[in-house]
Amino acid sequence: MTDSHTPQPVLVVPDSVRKALVEAARDAGPEECCGVLGGAFDPQRSRVTSWYPAANAADQPRERYLIDPTVQLEIFERLEDSGEDIVGFYHSHPRGPPVPSQTDVDAAAWPDRSYVIVVGPFEDERGSERPAVRSWRWRDGGETGHFERERLESPRGGPDDA
Amino acid sequence: MSTDPPITVDIKGEEVQELEREALGPDPTYADALAAVDLSPHEVSVLVDGRPVPEDQPLEATELTVLRLIKGG
């Protein structure tokens, strides 16, 4: 259940990181890209300062993504060494949907972290559709676990980001 | 009086917890250690010395790293 008095969560992402994530999604071609976002974590307002790409270890990388646990641990150790928190993760949906899939819902395991999705198309951008970067927080609640959409802000996006 | 060392469970992104081996029952597995910290093998991997271990194997290590899975579609 959503508390209407709770403000929408926010993820502050530098423009350079947004562009890099779109570029990573484009480079992955028809497959999904994935990685970890580092920075300052807060359940309502997190700030991204770095991104760590990882190979997609899923058996069906066009429809699924998976970060190998040993790779995940290496990334987390680099995060810890640089004094960063685990802010969240990113992956791409080369052919949609523009929201978390049912597979994303079924596999979500990190309460309150950000799940950034880079939505295609990446192969033909001459049309009206352009790649988009969107983010959700996973709100764990057993049977009622759900993704909550969050607002993306640029570090220069407003006085709250100062 | 307990003679076995405690089991240290480092849940990445969260806290480090200590478990008394005796509290896990006879012949515990890694899955039993996960259950003691309210986690399921379906949502995490257990690593010992940086390597994943099958959750149904007998619990032998005293220092566990637990990673929530990062996956989806």
Side-chain angles (χ1 to χ4, degrees):
Chain A
M1 186 183 291
T2 301
D3 181 349
S4 60
H5 298 290
T6 302
Q8 185 181 23
V10 171
L11 183 65
V12 180
V13 187
D15 292 344
S16 60
V17 173
R18 286 198 218 195
K19 290 176 182 174
L21 297 186
V22 171
E23 199 59 36
R26 185 179 289 123
D27 289 346
E31 298 184 355
E32 297 190 15
C33 71
C34 54
V36 178
L37 301 171
F41 168 73
D42 179 88
Q44 282 298 121
R45 185 181 181 85
S46 294
R47 184 180 293 265
V48 174
T49 53
S50 63
W51 63 289
Y52 297 81
N56 184 351
D59 290 338
Q60 299 172 290
R62 292 187 177 211
E63 288 88 28
R64 301 281 188 274
Y65 76 95
L66 167 69
I67 300 181
D68 182 275
T70 56
V71 173
Q72 187 181 334
L73 183 59
E74 289 173 8
I75 293 174
F76 287 175
E77 288 175 345
R78 289 166 63 191
L79 278 171
E80 289 178 3
D81 289 345
S82 60
E84 294 178 297
D85 301 326
I86 303 164
V87 166
F89 320 100
Y90 70 88
H91 73 285
S92 60
H93 283 179
R95 292 164 300 283
V99 295
S101 65
Q102 186 59 49
T103 303
D104 290 326
V105 173
D106 293 341
W110 286 83
D112 299 326
R113 257 59 178 204
S114 295
Y115 282 77
V116 170
I117 300 178
V118 187
V119 182
F122 307 119
E123 294 158 355
D124 181 4
E125 299 174 23
R126 289 171 296 181
S128 58
E129 292 186 79
R130 293 284 186 274
V133 179
R134 298 172 178 168
S135 187
W136 288 259
R137 301 284 183 126
W138 175 244
R139 302 306 191 191
D140 195 17
E143 296 287 317
T144 60
H146 65 282
F147 278 109
E148 179 183 15
R149 181 78 182 266
E150 70 179 337
R151 193 170 72 248
L152 292 186
E153 288 186 2
S154 166
R156 300 185 303 276
D160 289 346
D161 295 313
Chain B
M1 184 173 170
S2 173
T3 55
D4 290 326
I7 311 293
T8 301
V9 184
D10 181 2
I11 305 172
K12 289 297 181 184
E14 300 177 24
E15 72 276 29
V16 178
Q17 297 193 34
E18 282 199 350
L19 303 174
E20 294 298 330
R21 188 179 176 90
E22 290 74 14
L24 300 176
D27 304 321
T29 64
Y30 290 98
D32 293 322
L34 288 178
V37 294
D38 293 325
L39 289 172
S40 156
H42 299 297
E43 59 184 343
V44 301
S45 283
V46 179
L47 286 78
V48 174
D49 294 330
R51 292 179 172 275
V53 293
E55 285 82 3
D56 61 355
Q57 292 298 299
L59 176 60
E60 296 176 343
T62 56
E63 294 187 7
L64 313 183
T65 300
V66 174
L67 297 173
R68 290 180 180 271
L69 298 176
I70 304 173
K71 66 176 187 175

